Amino acid sequence: EVQLVQSGAEVKKPGEFLKISCQGSGYSFSSYWIGWVRQMPGKGLEWMGMIYPGDSDTRYSPSFQGRVTISADKSLKIAYLQWSSLKAADTALYYCTRRGSPQLGSAFDYWGQGALVTVSS
Amino acid sequence: EIVMTQTPLSLPVTPGEPASISCRSSRSLFESADGNTYLDWYLHKPGQSPQLLIYALSYRASGVPDRFSGSGSGTDFTLKISRVEAEDVGVYYCMQRLEFPYNFGQGTRLEIK
């Protein structure tokens, strides 16, 4: 069974570092893109970027380029989303999601449970 | 980048009645190289993670009831629910996957009357 399990909720202060994770299981982790999606309080879904764990090819939305870093450790089957200096505006629910196989349209077919990040002084 | 626009943003529906959500892209999502249209629909139910409903314009994802259907072409797309059920409540999003950055529409909140 394909699963994406995300790390737990975080409460941080502005300016702090944070790295959240998404562990994949039940499939060949290296062979599927992992994307990250943000949902700010009361708002819609925003596509942040994605990574191909097999070769670490990474793509970012311009809205998030330079603000976050997406990485992956294919040996551990974990993808990461990190901030070097958090802002209050980073308070949101973050989802990881797997881009499926081309045979099934390569849409985002599995999603993590979400990780709530709260940034407050 | 390709901008996605959904209408309506709020959709109250009586159970058993049909519902329709429109999505428009700022550029065609048709890829002539492979004949696919890179438009997907997702449903985000309250308290759950988003789930894939329709991929590549009109293909239902695994386990999705056949009352859901996707159609359209080029820049104009529609998600239809033939008979709304209480479990269909949530926010529906279209998303383009033709080129980076991928983008979602603003979302359409379906509620039961």
Side-chain angles (χ1 to χ4, degrees), chain A residues 37 39 43-47 50 59-62 95 99 104-109 111-114, chain B residues 1 38 40 42 44 48-52 54-56 93 95 97 100-106 109:
Chain A
V37 173
Q39 184 179 35
K43 303 297 184 182
L45 303 179
E46 299 174 90
W47 188 83
M50 56 199 285
R59 312 295 174 93
Y60 292 94
S61 167
Y95 292 100
R99 198 176 85 167
L104 296 177
S106 299
F108 292 100
D109 56 358
W111 294 70
Q113 81 275 22
Chain B
E1 66 184 69
Y38 287 92
D40 307 320
Y42 295 86
H44 195 184
Q48 298 185 21
S49 299
Q51 62 185 91
L52 176 64
I54 303 287
Y55 64 91
Y93 297 90
M95 192 191 84
R97 265 187 308 115
F100 294 114
Y102 296 166
N103 275 320
F104 292 96
Q106 316 97 299
R109 183 175 301 277

Side-chain angles (χ1 to χ4, degrees), chain B residues 65-109:
Chain B
D66 61 7
R67 64 178 183 276
F68 291 91
S69 64
S71 63
S73 64
T75 61
D76 289 289
F77 313 100
T78 303
L79 175 71
K80 291 183 179 177
I81 310 173
S82 58
R83 294 172 306 281
V84 170
E85 298 186 4
E87 66 180 25
D88 300 335
V89 165
V91 182
Y92 291 78
Y93 297 90
C94 60
M95 192 191 84
Q96 71 83 15
R97 265 187 308 115
L98 179 67
E99 63 182 44
F100 294 114
Y102 296 166
N103 275 320
F104 292 96
Q106 316 97 299
T108 295
R109 183 175 301 277

